[in-house]
Every structure is written in C-alpha cells, then in structure tokens.
Amino acid sequence: MTESATATSTPVVSIKPVTLQAPGRGEDLRVKVTAPAIGQGLPIIVFSHGFGSSMDGYGPLADFWAAHGFVVVQPTHLDSRALSVPTADPRTPRFWRFRVEDMKRILDRLELLETGVPHLAGRLDRSRIAAAGHSFGGQTAGNLLGLRVLDPDTGSGEDLSDSRITAGVLLATAGRGGAGLTPFAVENFPYLNPSFADMTTPALVVAGDRDDSPLTVRGPDWMADPYHLSPGGKSLLTLFGAEHSLGGIAGYEARETTDENPGRVALIQRLTTAYLRHALGIDGSGWTRARKELAQSADPLGSIESR
C-alpha cells in the first residue's frame, strides 16, 4: 500500500506528563500529548493502552497518527505497571470503570490540555474526536462507543457511551464473555462480559488471525466479535499471521511483541489513519483507495470487510 492512502506527514512534538486532577481516583491522571508541530483544526484521538502498559507505549501508532494530522492523548490507567497498584487494592475490581472515567476526564479537560501543551492552544477541532485502544484498552474505547459491561448476576449493563466520540478503532479487543471464556478469565476478569448490541458508533475493528488468547476457548475468531455482534457501520481488518501485538504496535522493540513484523505495523498505521480521516468526515478518498490497494495486492497482509 502506498503513502498516498494517507495525508502527507509532518514533524511532531510530544509533551509528558500533563497532569489532570482526579478526585476519588487515588492518583492524579497523567497523560501524554503527541501533536503535529504545525496545522490548525486538528482532530483528536484519545488512546487507551493495554493492561499494564502506560502513556509511554504505542509509539508506532501515536507518532504516525500525529505526523498525519491528529492530536493523540494517551492516559496512564490505574492498572499500569508504572503505578504499581497492588492486586489487593480495593480499586482493582473497578479498573475497567476507572479507565472509562479517565477517557472522559480527558474530554472534559481538553481546554486545560490545550493550555498545558506549548503551541497547541486554538488548534484542536473538538467536533472530530475518536477513541482508540488495544486489548483491554479496546474494551475501554468500546465503552465510549456504546459497548456495555454486563453485570454477571443481573445481566444489565450501564450505558457509558459519550456523544463527543464519533468514531473508534478497536485493536485486538476481547469478544463476548460467558461460555466463551476460560475458567482463568471467569475467575480473574469479571468485566470480560461485554455486550456489543448498543455499540452504534462507527468503528474499525482490527484482529489478528493468530491471536489465540488465553482468556477464551474460542480461538482467534473471538477478537472479531466487536465487529460481528455490533450494529452496522463497522469495518473489520483481519491481519494474516498476526498475534496479540499485531506485529509490534505496543512500542518500538517492545518485549511483549511476539510476532514482530514492520510491514504489518505499517499497514495498520496507514489503514487506521485512512479510516479515521474517513469516519471523522475529513477525507473519504484515502480509505477507499487503501481498501482497493489491499484487495488488489499480490501478497496481502490482511483483508477488510464492512457492513
């Protein structure tokens, strides 16, 4: 796929940490902001990291998105290894909920973030905001799109969607709970019981066809549930040969990458950028062109379907 599928890249700047007061959280919220050095009317991506990671991860995505016109805001959630919150901490069962609150707190404090980052004030387009996330972060982003975490006893789930979010990218995101979970997952991760029935916001779901998670008995197909079980207006990018790190999106030379593949990461960079430009109403031609190029590739790294 050629660079023509996305906008021309520009230099980027990153600022960290920007600290947001968070009463009741036990820790103030620390975020990293990565932005184009130039440009006006910049759309926003709020990115949720995977379990244990932090705002310092996912450079291959954050840097690329910023170089192509997005302001990327990355919180450090309470489950991050950087915070060392003990397993016995009373907040632990609600980590999933604190994550959603972190993302909403960022949206509530965009003005503070603008003033806290040099040369960013007045450059944001607050009408174009996307939520993205990897693994546990994919569920967090999904909550803002309409995904509901069901109570295992009552079967009910609270609507935590946010109308300020108008598009999403869910990378290697857990599927349906219940009988699809391993006993380990049932015992340790009760929040892995999502319903996608109300996830109406447009989204690109990215799944690896070799992402065989220890949390499910269903195999890699589990990661496609956010696409198949949600209302229409979704696209699914299936990556051939990809495991949970999808080729290395978690960081440059990250130790958790088990399937390092720079070409696969480059494909994700370009396709997610083209998709978000399309879904946020910036430019639809790049997404159309990117899909066509992938379909016509002699040795494709993946496939795309939409509904």
Side-chain angles (χ1 to χ4, degrees):
M1 184 176 298
T2 66
E3 182 69 17
S4 63
T6 56
T8 303
S9 64
T10 62
V12 305
V13 295
S14 292
I15 302 293
K16 67 169 190 178
V18 180
T19 302
L20 304 178
Q21 292 185 349
R25 186 177 184 266
E27 308 268 353
D28 284 340
L29 177 61
R30 290 155 52 98
V31 306
K32 176 182 178 182
V33 180
T34 306
I38 59 175
Q40 299 290 325
L42 303 174
I44 303 160
I45 301 172
V46 185
F47 185 86
S48 179
H49 62 71
F51 188 91
S53 188
S54 72
M55 64 181 175
D56 294 316
Y58 300 93
L61 292 180
D63 292 347
F64 190 91
W65 287 336
H68 291 80
F70 292 89
V71 173
V72 184
V73 186
Q74 297 174 260
T76 293
H77 297 302
L78 287 175
D79 57 83
S80 173
R81 291 184 293 269
L83 299 180
S84 300
V85 176
T87 303
D89 189 285
R91 293 170 293 176
T92 301
R94 299 185 69 248
F95 272 169
W96 74 270
R97 183 63 178 267
F98 280 111
R99 282 171 150 264
V100 179
E101 292 171 2
D102 290 346
M103 301 283 271
K104 293 193 174 191
R105 182 170 283 109
I106 288 169
L107 300 181
D108 292 340
R109 307 284 180 81
L110 282 177
E111 184 175 352
L112 179 59
L113 288 176
E114 275 194 274
T115 58
V117 176
H119 311 298
L120 189 60
R123 299 174 60 207
L124 299 183
D125 183 350
R126 302 188 190 190
S127 70
R128 291 187 167 111
I129 305 177
H134 174 243
S135 193
F136 194 9
Q139 178 168 303
T140 303
N143 283 121
L144 300 178
L145 310 180
L147 178 156
R148 300 190 184 190
V149 174
L150 302 181
D151 184 284
D153 296 322
T154 67
S156 62
E158 184 179 355
D159 179 10
L160 298 175
S161 62
D162 195 304
S163 61
R164 293 170 290 188
I165 302 293
T166 55
V169 174
L170 308 185
L171 301 132
T173 299
R176 182 167 50 189
L181 298 179
T182 61
F184 172 80
V186 172
E187 181 179 353
N188 293 279
F189 304 105
Y191 49 78
L192 283 181
N193 194 29
S195 169
F196 304 99
D198 299 290
M199 198 174 77
T200 57
T201 304
L204 172 65
V205 177
V206 182
D209 68 1
R210 293 187 184 174
D211 186 0
D212 197 359
S213 172
L215 301 176
T216 181
V217 298
R218 288 179 43 206
D221 288 347
W222 189 55
M223 300 293 181
D225 279 0
Y227 170 75
H228 292 295
L229 301 181
S230 62
K234 306 293 189 300
S235 292
L236 172 66
L237 168 60
T238 302
L239 296 166
F240 304 152
E243 299 176 10
H244 199 58
S245 291
L246 303 176
I249 64 168
Y252 301 108
E253 302 179 357
R255 64 182 181 182
E256 58 262 46
T257 298
T258 58
D259 61 335
E260 185 175 0
N261 187 313
R264 187 179 297 136
V265 173
L267 178 69
I268 295 170
Q269 289 170 329
R270 295 192 294 267
L271 282 172
T272 55
T273 301
Y275 175 81
L276 287 173
R277 288 175 58 82
H278 154 72
L280 293 174
I282 300 168
D283 172 32
S285 63
W287 176 238
T288 300
R289 185 165 53 249
R291 296 182 63 184
K292 182 178 180 180
E293 290 177 1
L294 182 62
Q296 294 178 344
S297 173
D299 187 20
L301 294 173
S303 64
I304 296 176
E305 58 185 281
S306 299
R307 61 181 185 83

